[in-house]
Amino acid sequence: MTKIAVLDDWQHVSRTSADWSPLMARANVQFFDAPFTGEEDATRQLADFDIVLVTRERTPFPMSLVSRLPNLKMFGLTGSRAALIDIAGMIERGITVCYTGGGPSASSTAELALGLMISAARRIPAGDVAVREGRFQQGTEAGILLDGKTLGVIGLGRIGGRMASYCRALGMRILAWSQNLTDEAAASAGATRVSKDVLLAEADVVTLHLVLSPRTRGILGSADLARMKRGAILVNTARAPLVDEAALVVAVESRHIVAALDVFYQEPLPASHPFTRAPNVVLTPHLGYGVIEVFREYYQQCVENALAFLDGKPIRVLQSGSQ
C-alpha cells in the first residue's frame, strides 16, 4: 500500500481540517506532529514514504534530503511557494510537486501583524504575565498611543496593503517603500511613497511584508536598524532573513527598538535564543497564515491532490520555472 506522510502538524490541526477517510482507504497515512531533529532524522523517518505532504515554511527540503528519499514520487505543499524547499530540484528528479490555494492567508497574516503591533505598543504580553502572577500593574510599563503615529510599510502588496488599511483606521499616517513601488500604487493604498531611509527615520512602527529573495535578503541591516527612532517597533510576519539577525539582537538588547516577531531563522526558535530573554521583544510561533479557514483549504486540497495522483491524473501540478 502507498505510504503517505503528513508533516509539520505542530498545532494538531490537520486531522480536523479535512476529510482524510477517502485517502486512508487507499493508502497508509501517517501524521507527524513534531519537528524533526535535523536532516538525518528526517531522512531516517521518511525514507519509506511514496508521498510527502508538508506545511509551508516548516521542515526544510534541500536536495541533500530529497536525494536520500528513494521512494518519493509526489510532494505536496500548502500554498505554491516555499523558500525552504528545493521545488525545482524535485521537478528535475521527476517528482510530481503539487500545490494548494492559499485561502485567506493575506488577511490572516495582516491581522497577526496588527495584533503584534498593538501587543508591542501596549506591552500586552508583560501585562498578561503580571496579572497571572498576582502583580496586576506592578512591574509593568505604560504603552504608547498609535493614533497619530506613523507606520512604515516595507512591501505594500496584498498583505502590506491590508496592514496599511487597518492602521489608517487607527488614525496612523502611512509611509511605504519597496524597490518597485510607484507613487500611484502607494497612493491607491492610502500611503505616501518615500525612500527607505526616510521611512526608517520617521516611522514609529515599521512592518515588513516582502517576499524573500536574493534581492530582499538582509534588506534591513545594522545601519538600517540604527536609523530607526529609539523605541520604534519593528514587526516581522514575513520572513526572518529579511533582517540581519545579529544586528537585530544588538538593536533589541541595547533597547534601541522593540521587536514583534512571528518568523525566525531557526524554527522552532530555541529556548536559549537571545530573543526569548529580551523584555522588549514580542514573540509568536509563526502563526501568520495559520488560521482554521486557511488550514481547511490547505488540507482538503492536499487530500484531493494525493487522490488525483493515485488515480494517475495529478492536479495542481507545479511546472519547472513556475514556482
Side-chain angles (χ1 to χ4, degrees):
M1 182 176 281
T2 300
K3 297 189 68 175
I4 300 176
V6 182
L7 305 189
D8 311 316
D9 189 19
W10 299 351
Q11 292 184 289
H12 298 190
V13 69
S14 64
R15 292 170 177 82
T16 58
S17 295
D19 179 6
W20 294 89
S21 57
L23 193 57
M24 289 178 168
R26 300 177 59 182
N28 180 355
V29 181
Q30 183 174 340
F31 295 86
F32 292 76
D33 56 12
F36 297 112
T37 59
E39 190 171 309
E40 292 300 323
D41 184 34
T43 300
R44 179 178 57 81
Q45 294 201 51
L46 298 177
D48 294 336
F49 286 91
D50 306 283
I51 296 175
V52 172
L53 306 177
V54 306
T55 301
R56 59 183 301 179
E57 307 306 333
R58 293 187 182 171
T59 300
F61 273 85
M63 192 46 56
S64 56
L65 170 57
V66 174
S67 63
R68 291 189 287 170
L69 302 179
N71 293 345
L72 184 59
K73 302 176 183 64
M74 176 198 157
F75 188 91
L77 64 144
T78 54
S80 59
R81 183 169 53 205
L84 299 177
I85 298 171
D86 190 345
I87 296 173
M90 289 189 194
I91 294 173
E92 288 179 5
R93 291 177 67 87
I95 297 167
T96 300
V97 180
C98 299
Y99 64 93
T100 71
S105 56
S107 294
S108 59
T109 304
E111 288 175 7
L112 185 73
L114 176 67
L116 282 169
M117 178 185 70
I118 294 173
S119 293
R122 297 302 300 272
R123 317 294 196 259
I124 291 174
D128 177 84
V129 170
V131 174
R132 294 175 188 275
E133 292 181 349
R135 294 184 286 111
F136 209 61
Q137 291 188 0
Q138 297 298 316
T140 64
E141 299 178 11
I144 62 169
L145 182 71
L146 292 169
D147 188 1
K149 297 296 195 300
T150 297
L151 174 76
V153 182
I154 297 181
L156 196 64
R158 291 187 308 133
I159 300 171
R162 283 173 168 80
M163 180 64 168
S165 70
Y166 301 159
C167 293
R168 285 201 313 274
L170 295 177
M172 300 183 75
R173 168 189 176 224
I174 313 297
L175 303 179
W177 174 83
S178 65
Q179 286 116 325
N180 298 325
L181 183 65
T182 64
D183 290 334
E184 294 75 19
S188 68
T192 300
R193 184 179 71 89
V194 296
S195 68
K196 182 173 74 167
D197 287 354
V198 168
L199 182 149
L200 293 170
E202 295 189 8
D204 300 288
V205 180
V206 175
T207 183
L208 291 168
H209 302 288
L210 293 170
V211 173
L212 181 63
S213 70
R215 187 169 67 157
T216 62
R217 183 178 294 271
I219 199 79
L220 294 186
S222 179
D224 299 300
L225 298 178
R227 193 167 286 113
M228 293 175 64
K229 293 180 179 180
R230 186 165 189 84
I233 299 167
L234 176 65
V235 179
N236 191 0
T237 57
R239 294 292 178 268
L242 295 172
V243 185
D244 180 275
E245 184 180 47
L248 183 55
V249 169
V250 170
V252 297
E253 287 186 337
S254 66
R255 298 296 189 98
H256 179 64
I257 65 170
V258 175
L261 308 174
D262 186 51
V263 289
F264 310 95
Y265 274 73
Q266 181 180 348
E267 296 184 4
L269 183 71
S272 60
H273 195 283
F275 289 153
T276 67
R277 301 190 298 272
N280 54 330
V281 178
V282 177
L283 304 171
T284 51
H286 204 152
L287 300 177
Y289 63 79
V291 294
I292 294 299
E293 293 83 355
V294 170
F295 284 128
R296 284 174 180 158
E297 179 164 329
Y298 277 176
Y299 288 118
Q300 188 55 50
Q301 291 188 7
C302 278
V303 171
E304 294 168 1
N305 291 346
L307 287 170
F309 180 81
L310 293 177
D311 288 337
K313 301 175 182 178
I315 58 175
R316 304 187 187 99
V317 177
L318 282 174
Q319 304 297 328
S320 180
S322 63
Q323 65 281 355

